[in-house]
């Protein structure tokens, strides 16, 4: 498939038709990048697809005021009308689903079926946000004073900076941006520079949708959305800028720590979705068939490059032999190769650096006493030899090995044995991260224990379901080094608004709270 055809189909060729590609998108205005050029290589074969430019800090700073202006206009548009915009976005995404999925596969290397799933997440969050646009409700609270009313209102917050990672180039931004729009916020997006084409395509869909809604409802400034293809240094400066009351960032713990410190210094709000080091427990009461299916998808889906990827399998000693035997068999049937070929289960790693990390982690695991059950080695599928394809690794290791506490963003699954459920829960919790967790068991006592306050300490707790593949309707995120943020469904929208507590006196007296007397 030719990248040019896909660029045309997504209507973004105009951003590449000059000597330098566009890198700064401020609503319908866009500017050529004055910063360094960025090669866009496909992980499929490591071949260059195109080149884009990056925006430098001067040109970024010159344009920031637009998002503040756009926010002022957006916040007075009624929320259900803001919802109409998101409804149009959802229908345009649906119409371009195939092209968007292909672009994800080309830029990230994930299998086409998973890429379709990612676009579906964008469509789903649009549906969710449209419904939400009529449900941004606040409480009315009983007041202690006569003839008073006490209530909460939720108002738009301001321009939101969204920083997203390479592995979900559309979905994670969409969780943020679609909700932010119905909440009345403008959005500035700094995507991973590994996936610039997906982000330009997404920006274009937002612009087309604004054009369309303005034909009937009018008043939507295009600068409610901006896209900055820019580097780490520039992003660090953006994070410090008080023009963004909220910074929502997805990526490594190291990046999140930096964002957190710099946003906290100016007393802004940050929403962090960082590393996971997710475990799945297979109890002696588990339906093993079901468990094996969940384990394989959770461990090797997206080549182990989801924050929800299963990295630690905690197996009861009574079923350990059976589980390992069946996993070896299942791993042996996996097809690894070109991600556009729908018979393949697994595509490449994102780049050489990821491959190097895999080699290093396997080396350390061995050094720390691990036994390699499935080797995890580089293979060279036909037609895509330059890409970094690997077979997934399975390593039996002690629960206290240091490597098990780290998130390595590749398909390595550590297998740990346990004796009783309390021990398994302790192992589940004994890592710095706290995103996703799962228990396979048909024993209600075990299930309830795992879900209780004394159970898993993660943000996502699954029973007889793998660690990855969360639906958008729930709040997504985790505890500890995962960062504590919650995105997408449930009441995550509250992050994107400011809460006002209002007290109204409809009497002719002025009673003071707490019964205080103050007469003069
Ligand atoms: C991520 O890897 O950052 O739950 C997000 C899942 C997907 C999203 C993962 N819905 O695996």
């Amino acid at each position: 498939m030719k990248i040019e055809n896909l660029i045309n189909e997504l209507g973004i060729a105009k951003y590449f038709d000059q000597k330098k590609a566009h890198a700064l998108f401020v609503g319908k205005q866009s500017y050529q990048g004055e910063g360094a050029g960025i090669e866009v290589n496909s992980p499929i074969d490591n071949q260059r697809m195109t080149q884009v430019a990056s925006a430098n800090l001067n040109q970024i700073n010159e344009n920031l005021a637009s998002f503040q202006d756009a926010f002022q206009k957006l916040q007075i548009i009624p929320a259900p009308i803001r919802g109409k915009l998101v409804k149009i976005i959802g229908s345009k995404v649906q119409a371009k689903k195939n092209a968007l999925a292909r672009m994800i596969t080309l830029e990230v290397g994930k299998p086409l079926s998973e890429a379709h799933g990612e676009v579906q997440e964008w469509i789903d969050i649009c549906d969710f946000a449209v419904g939400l646009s009529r449900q941004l409700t606040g409480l009315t609270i009983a007041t202690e004073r006569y003839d008073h009313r006490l209530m909460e209102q939720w108002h738009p917050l301001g321009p939101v900076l969204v920083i997203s990672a390479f592995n979900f180039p559309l979905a994670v931004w969409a969780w943020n941006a679609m909700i932010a729009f119905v909440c009345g916020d403008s959005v500035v997006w700094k995507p991973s520079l590994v996936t610039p084409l997906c982000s330009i395509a997404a920006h274009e869909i937002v612009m087309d949708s604004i054009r369309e809604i303005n034909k009937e409802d009018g008043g939507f400034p295009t600068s409610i959305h901006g896209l900055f293809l820019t580097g780490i240094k520039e992003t660090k400066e953006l994070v410090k800028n008080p023009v963004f009351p909220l910074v929502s960032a997805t990526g490594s713990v190291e990046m999140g720590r930096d964002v957190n410190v710099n946003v906290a210094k100016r007393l802004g709000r940050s929403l962090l979705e960082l590393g996971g080091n997710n475990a799945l427990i297979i109890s002696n009461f588990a339906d093993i068939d079901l468990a094996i299916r969940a384990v394989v998808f959770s461990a090797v889906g997206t080549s182990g490059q989801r924050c929800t990827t299963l990295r630690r399998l905690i197996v009861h000693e009574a079923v350990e032999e059976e589980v390992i035997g069946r996993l070896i068999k299942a791993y042996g049937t996996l097809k690894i190769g070109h991600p556009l070929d729908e018979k393949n289960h697994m595509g490449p790693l994102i780049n050489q650096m990821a491959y190097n990390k895999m080699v290093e982690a396997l080396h350390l695991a061995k050094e720390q006493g691990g036994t390699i059950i499935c080797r995890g080695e580089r293979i060279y599928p036909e037609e895509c030899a330059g890409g970094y394809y690997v077979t997934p690794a399975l390593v039996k290791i002690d629960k206290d090995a240091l490597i098990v506490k780290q998130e390595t963003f590749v398909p390595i699954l550590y297998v740990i044995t346990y004796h009783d459920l309390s021990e398994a829960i302790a192992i589940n919790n004994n890592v710095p991260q706290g995103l996703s967790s799962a228990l396979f068991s048909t024993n209600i006592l075990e299930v309830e224990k795992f879900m209780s306050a004394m159970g898993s300490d993660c943000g996502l707790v699954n029973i007889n379901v793998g660690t990855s593949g969360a639906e958008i309707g729930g709040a997504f995120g985790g505890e500890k080094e995962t960062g504590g943020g919650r995105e997408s469904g449930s009441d995550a929208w509250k992050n994107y608004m400011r809460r006002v507590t209002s007290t109204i006196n409809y009497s002719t007296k002025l009673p003071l709270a707490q019964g205080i007397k103050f007469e003069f």
Side-chain angles (χ1 to χ4, degrees), residues 50-258:
T50 183
Q51 184 173 16
V52 297
S54 65
N56 71 21
L57 202 56
N58 277 342
Q59 54 181 159
I60 287 175
N61 284 337
E62 274 166 22
N63 282 287
L64 284 181
S66 298
F67 302 103
Q68 186 61 38
D69 293 347
F71 163 68
Q72 298 297 349
K73 297 192 177 101
L74 183 64
Q75 68 167 339
I76 57 173
I77 297 176
I81 299 178
R82 302 194 294 249
K84 278 194 194 175
L85 168 65
V86 174
K87 190 170 180 179
I88 295 171
I89 296 175
S91 63
K92 290 195 184 294
V93 179
Q94 182 71 55
K96 293 208 159 134
K97 192 172 182 192
N98 280 325
L100 288 166
R102 281 171 181 272
M103 189 60 103
I104 293 176
T105 294
L106 290 190
E107 284 199 312
V108 182
K110 66 172 79 172
L112 198 53
S113 157
E114 288 191 45
H116 270 106
E118 171 158 9
V119 183
Q120 187 60 46
E121 277 200 56
W122 182 0
I123 297 166
D124 292 345
I125 197 73
C126 287
D127 286 350
F128 183 91
V130 174
L132 188 63
S133 72
R134 290 183 181 269
Q135 298 177 76
L136 300 168
T137 53
L139 294 173
T140 302
I141 299 158
T143 141
E144 64 193 56
R145 282 172 280 186
Y146 286 91
D147 302 330
H148 276 57
R149 181 152 64 86
L150 182 59
M151 61 183 274
E152 283 184 348
Q153 287 173 285
W154 291 89
H155 292 319
L157 184 65
V160 177
L161 177 63
V162 177
I163 301 171
S164 66
F166 80 86
N167 62 334
F168 275 84
L170 293 177
V172 173
W173 158 79
W175 297 346
N176 282 281
M178 301 305 107
I179 302 288
F181 286 159
V182 298
C183 289
D185 300 338
S186 53
V187 172
V188 172
W189 182 16
K190 173 3 217 166
S192 159
L193 293 184
V194 174
T195 57
L197 301 178
C198 280
S199 52
I200 296 174
H203 178 77
E204 191 62 11
I205 286 177
V206 174
M207 291 305 116
D208 282 349
S209 304
I210 295 175
R211 257 191 296 276
E212 192 167 319
I213 193 162
N214 279 345
K215 285 185 207 148
E216 34 167 321
D217 274 300
F220 282 85
T222 60
S223 303
I224 61 168
H225 194 259
L227 168 64
F228 296 174
L229 302 179
T230 193
I232 295 178
K233 205 179 84 222
E234 292 81 359
T235 309
K236 285 188 176 191
E237 291 309 311
L238 277 173
V239 161
K240 291 180 191 158
N241 198 319
V243 73
F244 300 112
L246 171 66
V247 178
S248 173
T250 300
S252 69
V253 171
E254 186 196 356
M255 178 277 297
R257 233 188 269 282
D258 205 60

Side-chain angles (χ1 to χ4, degrees), residues 293-353:
R293 277 174 25 216
V295 166
V296 176
F297 178 71
S298 298
V300 314
T302 329
S303 303
Q305 300 171 121
R306 290 192 190 204
C307 55
T308 50
T309 291
L310 174 61
R311 312 210 176 274
R312 300 177 296 135
L313 181 62
I314 308 171
V315 190
H316 190 273
E317 57 192 9
V319 292
E320 186 199 355
E321 212 181 299
E322 181 185 355
V323 166
I324 292 182
R326 291 179 66 169
L327 276 180
I328 295 173
K329 229 167 145 185
Y331 271 31
T333 64
L334 293 178
K335 296 195 175 59
I336 301 156
H338 202 299
L340 285 176
D341 179 344
E342 296 196 57
K343 76 170 187 314
N344 287 327
H345 301 97
M346 210 175 117
L349 293 174
I350 192 69
N351 54 27
Q352 182 176 11
M353 214 203 308

Side-chain angles (χ1 to χ4, degrees), residues 19 21 28 30 34 127 167 179 184 198 218 231 274 294 301 322 324 326 343 371 387 401 403 428 433 457 503-504 513:
K19 262 210 340 257
K28 68 176 186 308
S30 67
E34 287 165 15
D127 286 350
N167 62 334
I179 302 288
C198 280
L274 312 174
E322 181 185 355
I324 292 182
R326 291 179 66 169
K343 76 170 187 314
T371 310
I403 190 77
N428 178 77
Q433 310 82 353
D457 65 359
T503 310
I504 299 156

Side-chain angles (χ1 to χ4, degrees), residues 4 22 28 47 51 84 91 168 234 258 290 313 357 374 376 443 452 463 473 484 496:
E4 291 77 23
H22 291 210
K28 68 176 186 308
Q47 295 297 306
Q51 184 173 16
K84 278 194 194 175
S91 63
F168 275 84
E234 292 81 359
D258 205 60
L290 209 64
L313 181 62
K357 286 196 172 144
C374 292
N443 178 320
S452 76
I463 304 297
Y496 304 82

Side-chain angles (χ1 to χ4, degrees), residues 451-472:
M451 294 176 73
S452 76
M454 301 306 289
S456 165
D457 65 359
C458 295
L460 307 171
V461 179
N462 296 330
I463 304 297
N464 299 325
V465 173
T467 54
S468 67
E471 300 178 19
I472 57 91

